[in-house]
Amino acid sequence: MRGLIDKLERERGLSKEEFVQLLSGFTPEDADYLFEKSRAAAQSRFGRRIYIRGLIEFTNYCRCDCYYCGIRRSNLNAQRYRLTPEEILECCQEGYGLGFRTFVLQGGEDLTFSGQELAQIIRSIKNAFPDCAVTLSEGERPESDYRLWREAGADRYLLRHETADPAHYGLLHPPAQRWEHRRDCLLSLKRLGYQVGSGFMVGSPFQTVECLAQDLVFLRELQPEMVGIGPFIPHKDTPFGNQPPGSLEQTVFLIGLLRLMLPDALLPATTALGTIAPDGRERGILAGANVVMPNLSPLGVRKKYMLYNDKICTGEEAAEHVSQLAKRLEAIGYQLTVDRGDFKVH
Ligand code: SAH
């Protein structure tokens, strides 16, 4: 195993078979060996600085029906909401005061927000906060919308590929949602000059180590600027409500592998990681993650953006408690930083 970890560090990639071997046989000692290297790779580029992004969950209406997701169209128990442009700007205003220089607008695929309307929202954020980056995360839209938003000033786009195995993709989504379409969206976003984030859930139903190896091979090829991964967590009102969650150990091991494979990438310690274990985010950072994304959504709607059971949103992951988060990161030797935190090759 150590030979494979050394090779990954040297060559920034492995074959699918080698990834399968690593993922199916690693011991806790192998993981510690990996984390020493992956942490060092992060620290040599970013020091002990952690970037923060303010997450604004601006709508939970969604036309999609992903079997794992709590805000899927068929979940009639979800209480739906959408923020007004004014409310979105107020979130940014609050976030700016707290030191955020990146705003992430995430939502369900809500076509009530037309391409033009979102472009207008992006322009008003960029006008009011010219020193801030705007990241979008609103799923699969026509390339013409992606272009409009880029022209309006959006800098980055998060679109997890969810799984790079088309057959597995078909087990997580209804037939109308196709792997090839999601992949094509990622390629469009790259072409349009966005800093692109992709990623996947760890431990999603029917996932095998071969699927995960395929995810790593896919990401090596895509060379995204950001990669978000987190454990799958069931949501009670979905078809996967009784499935077991993904594991912390496997998630942090994958963060370590991603850091060695894409050493300059921005890798968040995600909310899902913080939800499955109280020290999940710290464990992610100690495996090489360098971003956290506290929640900036208005308090009244936070509980409604419930992607999975017990999603945390009011403790240290809340933007208004960013100073508590800073203290926790200081306890493991890291500092939060006020910075746009753009991708750069070191
Ligand atoms: N509509 C946007 C945002 C989706 S929500 C889009 O399609 O990109 C953001 C991410 O949450 C998803 O990409 C998915 O990977 C993750 N997610 C959804 N349900 C989840 C669950 N039950 N457990 C863990 N992560 C989940």
Side-chain angles (χ1 to χ4, degrees):
M1 293 296 168
R2 296 193 175 194
L4 287 176
I5 292 169
D6 294 343
K7 183 172 176 193
L8 174 62
E9 184 181 37
R10 219 172 37 242
E11 299 184 4
R12 300 191 179 181
L14 291 175
S15 68
K16 182 170 175 189
E17 294 68 34
E18 288 169 324
F19 279 129
V20 168
Q21 207 184 325
L22 259 180
L23 288 164
S24 41
F26 75 89
T27 62
E29 293 71 36
D30 296 325
D32 287 338
Y33 182 77
L34 169 66
F35 298 152
E36 267 174 42
K37 286 184 179 290
S38 55
R39 201 156 56 223
Q43 286 179 7
S44 73
R45 291 168 175 83
F46 311 103
R48 289 169 161 264
R49 285 186 297 278
I50 302 294
Y51 297 119
I52 50 173
R53 321 296 195 196
L55 184 61
I56 303 169
E57 299 158 332
F58 70 98
T59 173
N60 72 350
Y61 283 89
C62 194
R63 64 173 160 162
C64 297
D65 221 8
C66 312
Y67 301 146
Y68 45 84
C69 184
I71 62 167
R72 65 198 297 265
R73 179 182 69 216
S74 299
N75 180 10
L76 301 181
N77 290 332
Q79 290 178 41
R80 305 289 169 171
Y81 72 91
R82 57 174 69 90
L83 302 184
T84 62
E86 295 70 35
E87 287 170 320
I88 296 173
L89 269 166
E90 281 164 25
C91 292
C92 298
Q93 187 72 56
E94 180 182 348
Y96 194 87
L98 291 165
F100 290 88
R101 296 295 177 268
T102 292
F103 303 117
V104 181
L105 301 189
Q106 187 178 86
E109 290 192 16
D110 181 357
L111 296 184
T112 306
F113 287 95
S114 67
Q116 290 289 359
E117 194 176 345
L118 267 168
Q120 190 47 47
I121 292 172
I122 295 161
R123 275 191 292 270
S124 51
I125 296 175
K126 289 297 247 186
N127 274 335
F129 309 100
D131 55 337
C132 291
V134 170
T135 304
L136 304 175
S137 178
E138 28 214 90
E140 299 171 40
R141 299 277 292 232
E143 184 166 295
S144 52
D145 283 353
Y146 291 156
R147 183 173 299 110
L148 269 181
W149 301 338
R150 182 85 187 108
E151 286 164 2
D155 303 275
R156 311 185 189 133
Y157 204 102
L158 305 178
L159 184 75
R160 291 184 175 181
H161 65 278
E162 311 297 0
T163 171
D165 176 329
H168 184 218
Y169 197 91
L171 297 170
L172 301 181
H173 303 97
Q177 295 176 231
R178 294 183 53 247
W179 147 250
E180 290 77 11
H181 190 259
R182 202 151 181 98
R183 179 205 53 204
D184 290 348
C185 285
L186 283 165
L187 300 178
S188 300
L189 291 163
K190 276 231 138 186
R191 264 198 311 278
L192 290 166
Y194 283 93
Q195 295 171 49
V196 170
S198 197
F200 54 90
M201 288 175 290
V202 179
S204 58
F206 313 109
Q207 185 179 66
T208 61
V209 287
E210 284 77 14
C211 298
L212 289 168
Q214 189 64 39
D215 288 321
L216 294 170
V217 168
F218 172 75
L219 289 170
R220 173 154 200 234
E221 219 162 282
L222 182 69
Q223 291 287 318
E225 284 76 20
M226 305 165 277
V227 182
I229 68 168
F232 161 75
I233 301 173
H235 184 292
K236 61 180 175 33
D237 298 322
T238 64
F240 293 157
N242 293 318
Q243 298 282 332
S247 87
L248 174 74
E249 285 70 27
Q250 199 175 33
T251 306
V252 290
F253 191 75
L254 281 154
I255 290 176
L257 297 180
L258 286 165
R259 173 56 70 208
L260 291 189
M261 187 169 86
L262 301 166
D264 295 307
L266 296 150
L267 303 180
T270 54
T271 307
L273 193 55
T275 298
I276 50 160
D279 61 345
R281 267 172 312 209
E282 283 96 330
R283 299 268 303 267
I285 287 166
L286 293 172
N290 68 329
V291 174
V292 288
M293 301 170 68
N295 194 316
L296 252 185
S297 310
L299 270 170
V301 305
R302 272 192 210 165
K303 287 208 157 50
K304 299 181 184 161
Y305 199 82
M306 206 38 86
L307 302 176
Y308 41 79
N309 291 340
D310 306 318
K311 175 169 163 273
I312 52 175
C313 60
T314 52
E316 275 122 15
E317 60 288 343
E320 65 276 17
H321 298 149
V322 70
S323 60
Q324 287 171 33
L325 178 62
K327 282 208 190 83
R328 280 181 62 158
L329 299 185
E330 275 161 29
I332 56 165
Y334 287 78
Q335 300 101 41
L336 288 186
T337 171
V338 175
D339 189 302
R340 274 175 53 124
D342 285 294
F343 176 83
K344 76 173 197 260
V345 175
H346 292 81

